[in-house]
Amino acid sequence: MNNLLKGFFKFGLLLCIISSAVHAKAPETEQIPVLKQDEIHQVVAKRVTNFFTQSHYRDFSLDGAFSAKIFDRYFKLLDGNKTIFLQDDVNKFRIYQEQLGQELTDGDLKTAYDIYNLFLKKRYDRYQYALNVLQRPMDFTTNDEVNFKREDIAWPTTEQELDDYWDKRVKYDELNLALTGKNESQIREVLTKRYKRVLKTIVQSNNEDCFQVFMNAFAREIDPHTSYLAPRKKRDFDSEMSLSFEGIGATLSQQDDYTVIMSFVTGGPAEKSKLLSVGDKIIGVGQSNSPIEDVIGWRLDDIVDKIRGPKNTVVKLEILPAGNNSKPKVVEITRDKIHFEDREAKLKIINNSRGKIGVIEIPSFYIGLSKKVNSLLLEANSKKLQGLVIDLRDNGGGSLAEVIELTGLFIDSGPVVQVRDNLQKVNIYDDKNRGIDYTGSIVVMINRYSASASEIFSAAMQDYGRAVIVGETTYGKGTVQTSRNISYPVDARIHPKWPELGGAQYTVQKFYRINGGSTQLKGVEPDIEMTNSQYVDETGERFLDNAMPWDKIPSADYATVANIKPLLANLKAQHQARIANNPEFNYIEEDIKQYNGKTSDKYTVSLNKKERETEQKANDERDLKRMNERLSRAGLPAIKSLKDLPKGYKQPDAFLDEAVEILLDLIPNYPSIEANKTLGGFISLEKAIE
């Protein structure tokens, strides 16, 4: 799963972490830590380097030329918009660029830490400068602009160039608050808190922060989906794949120097205990067999690490209860396994004048998805639904084993996907479970954020003629990654005191459609484009650095389930006739054309208040006009402001509504399904992921 594709999900208490502005005195410069490599990082660096050089799909040599690319990638990850470093800073370390590969092989990353320590100092100085800019009188009458797309410009050569940018950057922050109605005093108060919070996070930097960035500079120079997973990132990744974690089930926020409880997972230990309340502040954390440590002012992720832990273990929390004049108290919570039900596949039934159909929304291809969908199909069959819409919009992928099994629910048997490894050997992964769990008509929805496993599924359904694919061309990720632990099984016995080592995720295969084509870079093209115009932006694999090339292999042996190609022309005509008179699609077309009309200035923002107010007013008037048109069509009274929207009002999902109509057009003409007799060998890939 790629970080563009919503990438890794962050959990506070393994659920979510929310940061807010804090009251804090700016730390002194001398408090900035000087980071250095932990001893265990030498072991991790050598093992990760071995994984990547020996097992990655891409054949590369960790020589001087590749080391120089890692050097440039490292600076890009640290300061991609060139707002921190000067050209001289980069030049200072350029003499070491060709030795980074050897440092990785040896596990000695001194150069990386020297660069990162300079980065901390320079970033600290920049936010101190921002605090000084805040004291100046604010003037929003000039015609200044700020450009946020700076990665392709040359490194600044003087501090004055950086000052000029930060003058505009601070002014941009000020203007955004001014447009909400805040005065100068209020703006200074909000931004002072914000910038001091950044200074505090710089002071709280630790050795793992540097190690993680540098190892990922190495990983990303190989391909965009290869990563080093620090221990907490590895835990978050595992939680996302299984939609579960072990902890107390609470959402935390950081306010001032305190960690505050924002909400609870329904049915989780924290909620069931009745010992905690929303608004309580956590001021100390301890384990059942250890004293409580004061955690005021700690980094939120460090507090989360102390609170979470294995099922049936106890965590002690020192709580300052919500409300005035509260006295601290200590509570004990027994951790348990928490399941993210909101991320599971769901079935929604739509019953209109034309028919009764179901919509299955699949947010990701998590472990256990196919079993969940199978239960939803049983429900769909029991309710005699006439057809299904399978919604894969914004689905960034997941388990390869799950997408194979999911496809098998809709075909009798046969190949689902072809996979080629780094030895150029091609394996065909088949559905071996005979029988079709749902034989009705199907429409699959995709968009430009549907990737990886979503593309395997939609491509297979398209190649078999099993479904009509509607929406946008998908993301174009046609590679398979594996995730493995950095620790070896013998480590626990030989090195019992070692901490967690994290994980490595790297590309091991490319996948291909059963017709031999690759989805890499090109994606899956829908049978029916939802809109007449398409967004011109940089979304997609083809815009990522070091992406694998497109290619193709011979077709697998398969037979189509149904021939729906003759139906497409009529389905498209009916679709076009509907959207031509659909106000929601007219809005969408207007938005696409407005976005595409901004070419070179898409990342340039005016710092003139009147100009911004005029643009904001136009956007607000447009949005209000559209909303009142929607309300009128729904038989509801008009509103004077978007703040007056009726409680519970839900804006139409034009794409879903149209997908339902396309399905209802398809149902009367969909051919009867004949079982696919093509068989093949199934290989378990439970640890493979996209």
Side-chain angles (χ1 to χ4, degrees):
M1 191 186 310
N2 172 348
N3 64 352
L4 160 154
L5 311 168
K6 326 288 183 187
F8 299 111
F9 294 82
K10 300 178 181 177
F11 305 98
L13 279 223
L14 294 195
L15 185 58
C16 71
I17 294 176
I18 306 171
S19 295
S20 63
V22 298
H23 297 273
K25 181 180 178 181
E28 300 296 332
T29 305
E30 56 267 25
Q31 291 179 294
I32 300 174
V34 177
L35 306 185
K36 60 182 180 179
Q37 182 173 325
D38 292 337
E39 288 185 16
I40 197 64
H41 286 154
Q42 183 174 38
V43 174
V44 176
K46 293 169 75 171
R47 290 185 182 183
V48 171
T49 300
N50 186 62
F51 292 155
F52 291 171
T53 55
Q54 300 299 316
S55 304
H56 198 280
Y57 183 89
R58 175 168 268 160
D59 184 23
F60 68 96
S61 176
L62 197 52
D63 54 17
F66 195 86
S67 295
K69 292 180 179 179
I70 297 173
F71 178 89
D72 289 333
R73 179 72 49 191
Y74 187 38
F75 272 93
K76 185 172 183 178
L77 290 183
L78 291 174
D79 186 21
N81 275 332
K82 299 185 172 75
T83 63
I84 305 294
F85 289 119
L86 295 176
Q87 183 68 64
D88 284 347
D89 298 324
V90 181
N91 293 343
K92 174 183 175 182
F93 291 99
R94 183 70 71 181
I95 59 174
Y96 305 111
Q97 65 176 2
E98 294 190 1
Q99 70 184 44
L100 295 184
Q102 189 60 51
E103 290 187 5
L104 282 162
T105 302
D106 297 339
D108 181 5
L109 308 181
K110 182 180 184 306
T111 303
Y113 278 86
D114 289 344
I115 293 171
Y116 198 89
N117 283 322
L118 178 62
F119 165 71
L120 292 180
K121 172 65 169 60
K122 299 277 291 187
R123 188 164 182 252
Y124 183 97
D125 291 344
R126 279 294 120 203
Y127 276 92
Q128 286 284 23
Y129 179 80
L131 285 171
N132 292 332
V133 174
L134 273 182
Q135 305 311 311
R136 302 174 188 170
M138 299 179 192
D139 181 6
F140 303 128
T141 63
T142 65
N143 292 321
D144 290 338
E145 295 179 328
V146 61
N147 184 356
F148 289 105
K149 188 174 176 62
R150 296 167 50 87
E151 60 264 30
D152 295 328
I153 68 171
W155 290 101
T157 58
T158 66
E159 291 290 341
Q160 185 59 52
E161 288 181 65
L162 288 177
D163 289 350
D164 290 343
Y165 167 79
W166 280 87
D167 289 344
K168 293 179 179 180
R169 165 70 181 273
V170 173
K171 189 173 182 179
Y172 169 80
D173 290 343
E174 292 171 341
L175 179 53
N176 284 342
L177 292 173
L179 291 171
T180 68
K182 288 183 170 57
N183 59 35
E184 282 198 16
S185 175
Q186 293 169 321
I187 292 170
R188 286 194 180 96
E189 181 182 3
V190 171
L191 293 182
T192 296
K193 293 175 185 177
R194 183 185 302 175
Y195 296 162
K196 286 183 177 180
R197 178 61 188 165
V198 175
L199 291 173
K200 185 168 184 178
T201 63
I202 293 171
V203 170
Q204 292 179 327
S205 298
N206 59 45
N207 298 336
E208 180 66 46
D209 295 333
C210 170
F211 186 75
Q212 183 171 323
V213 176
F214 182 69
M215 293 305 294
N216 276 312
F218 172 30
R220 293 294 191 275
E221 197 53 45
I222 307 171
D223 91 308
H225 307 293
T226 292
S227 303
Y228 158 68
L229 304 178
R232 57 173 60 119
K233 291 286 186 182
K234 179 65 165 62
R235 289 192 294 267
D236 290 348
F237 173 80
D238 292 342
S239 295
E240 178 60 25
M241 288 299 293
S242 64
L243 293 191
S244 64
F245 69 96
E246 293 181 350
I248 69 170
T251 304
L252 302 182
S253 168
Q254 203 159 53
Q255 298 176 5
D256 298 336
D257 280 340
Y258 293 97
T259 299
V260 181
I261 296 173
M262 302 299 292
S263 64
F264 300 109
V265 176
T266 302
E271 183 197 50
K272 289 194 294 186
S273 74
K274 306 298 182 185
L275 299 173
L276 301 172
S277 301
V278 171
D280 286 352
K281 296 174 181 176
I282 299 174
I283 60 175
V285 181
Q287 310 309 316
S288 59
N289 58 351
S290 66
I292 290 177
E293 290 183 81
D294 186 295
V295 296
I296 295 175
W298 281 29
R299 283 168 40 144
L300 186 55
D301 51 5
D302 289 335
I303 297 173
V304 167
D305 276 351
K306 288 190 69 66
I307 296 176
R308 68 192 190 180
K311 179 180 178 181
N312 295 328
T313 60
V314 173
V315 61
K316 296 184 291 188
L317 303 177
E318 186 174 5
I319 300 296
L320 190 61
N324 297 325
N325 303 316
S326 300
K327 293 183 178 180
K329 65 177 182 178
V330 175
V331 301
E332 294 188 357
I333 308 290
T334 301
R335 302 175 177 104
D336 201 351
K337 189 167 186 176
I338 313 295
H339 192 74
F340 294 114
E341 294 183 359
D342 61 321
R343 292 288 299 164
E344 285 190 326
K346 297 177 181 63
L347 173 66
K348 178 172 68 174
I349 296 174
I350 296 177
N351 198 352
N352 64 26
S353 60
R354 296 185 65 194
K356 183 179 180 183
I357 63 96
V359 177
I360 295 180
E361 180 185 352
I362 301 178
S364 69
F365 284 80
Y366 57 89
I367 303 300
L369 169 68
S370 55
K371 290 181 180 178
K372 176 66 176 181
V373 173
N374 186 49
S375 69
L376 298 179
L377 294 179
L378 291 174
E379 182 181 350
N381 286 327
S382 69
K383 294 184 177 179
K384 302 188 185 308
L385 301 184
Q386 295 169 261
L388 280 180
V389 172
I390 298 177
D391 188 353
L392 297 181
R393 290 177 295 174
D394 302 332
N395 183 321
S399 165
L400 181 57
E402 288 294 338
V403 72
I404 293 169
E405 194 168 345
L406 183 72
T407 306
L409 300 177
F410 303 101
I411 63 173
D412 186 14
S413 61
V416 173
V417 63
Q418 303 186 87
V419 174
R420 182 163 64 183
D421 62 24
N422 59 357
L423 299 177
Q424 304 305 302
K425 180 182 178 182
V426 175
N427 287 312
I428 300 175
Y429 300 142
D430 289 31
D431 162 45
K432 292 297 292 285
N433 299 319
R434 296 301 299 266
I436 302 176
D437 292 75
Y438 183 81
T439 59
S441 303
I442 302 172
V443 162
V444 175
M445 297 182 69
I446 55 175
N447 65 8
R448 62 191 190 280
Y449 302 109
S450 305
S452 205
S454 294
E455 295 174 287
I456 293 175
F457 179 79
S458 54
M461 297 290 276
Q462 190 176 56
D463 290 343
Y464 274 112
R466 186 64 185 89
V468 174
I469 314 299
V470 304
E472 299 175 288
T473 298
T474 57
Y475 187 80
K477 179 180 178 294
T479 57
V480 181
Q481 285 72 46
T482 190
S483 176
R484 63 179 296 175
N485 292 322
I486 292 170
S487 60
Y488 299 151
V490 298
D491 287 343
R493 177 170 54 85
I494 301 176
H495 306 286
K497 294 184 179 181
W498 273 9
E500 291 182 79
L501 303 187
Q505 176 181 308
Y506 50 95
T507 302
V508 291
Q509 298 166 322
K510 291 179 73 175
F511 65 76
Y512 300 83
R513 302 172 67 135
I514 55 176
N515 68 9
S518 172
T519 62
Q520 178 67 7
L521 306 184
K522 294 186 177 182
V524 176
E525 294 183 6
D527 297 312
I528 299 176
E529 289 271 7
M530 270 291 185
T531 58
N532 294 319
S533 303
Q534 285 76 45
Y535 281 100
V536 179
D537 60 12
E538 296 185 358
T539 299
E541 184 86 0
R542 66 189 183 280
F543 295 106
L544 298 183
D545 293 341
N546 306 312
M548 298 284 184
W550 179 90
D551 58 359
K552 63 180 181 179
I553 61 175
S555 171
D557 184 13
Y558 73 100
T560 57
V561 173
N563 183 14
I564 62 174
K565 287 185 178 180
L567 307 177
L568 295 179
N570 192 43
L571 292 174
K572 289 178 184 177
Q574 292 171 291
H575 164 68
Q576 286 293 332
R578 268 192 305 272
I579 68 172
N581 300 306
N582 186 320
E584 293 296 334
F585 276 90
N586 291 336
Y587 301 154
I588 293 167
E589 288 291 333
E590 289 172 6
D591 291 344
I592 293 174
K593 289 175 181 177
Q594 181 183 23
Y595 178 86
N596 291 344
K598 296 179 180 180
T599 52
S600 61
D601 64 342
K602 279 179 182 173
Y603 302 95
T604 300
V605 181
S606 170
L607 299 178
N608 182 287
K609 187 178 181 183
K610 284 189 176 179
E611 184 177 331
R612 290 280 295 280
E613 284 176 335
T614 300
E615 181 180 352
Q616 183 175 289
K617 182 181 178 183
N619 289 337
D620 289 346
E621 289 176 348
R622 178 202 63 198
D623 293 344
L624 180 60
K625 179 175 179 291
R626 289 179 178 179
M627 187 55 67
N628 277 324
E629 289 172 352
R630 290 186 179 107
L631 293 172
S632 176
R633 290 192 292 272
L636 297 172
I639 56 176
K640 293 183 179 180
S641 167
L642 291 174
K643 296 178 182 178
D644 301 327
L645 262 178
K647 188 176 181 179
Y649 175 80
K650 191 173 181 181
Q651 188 166 309
D653 184 342
F655 291 154
L656 178 59
D657 293 343
E658 178 57 21
V660 169
E661 296 299 327
I662 293 172
L663 176 61
L664 291 168
D665 291 339
L666 172 67
I667 289 169
N669 304 300
Y670 189 78
S672 60
I673 295 176
E674 295 182 5
N676 184 349
K677 302 300 182 183
T678 304
L679 298 177
F682 175 75
I683 298 177
S684 176
L685 287 179
E686 290 185 359
K687 291 186 178 180
I689 52 97
E690 284 73 59

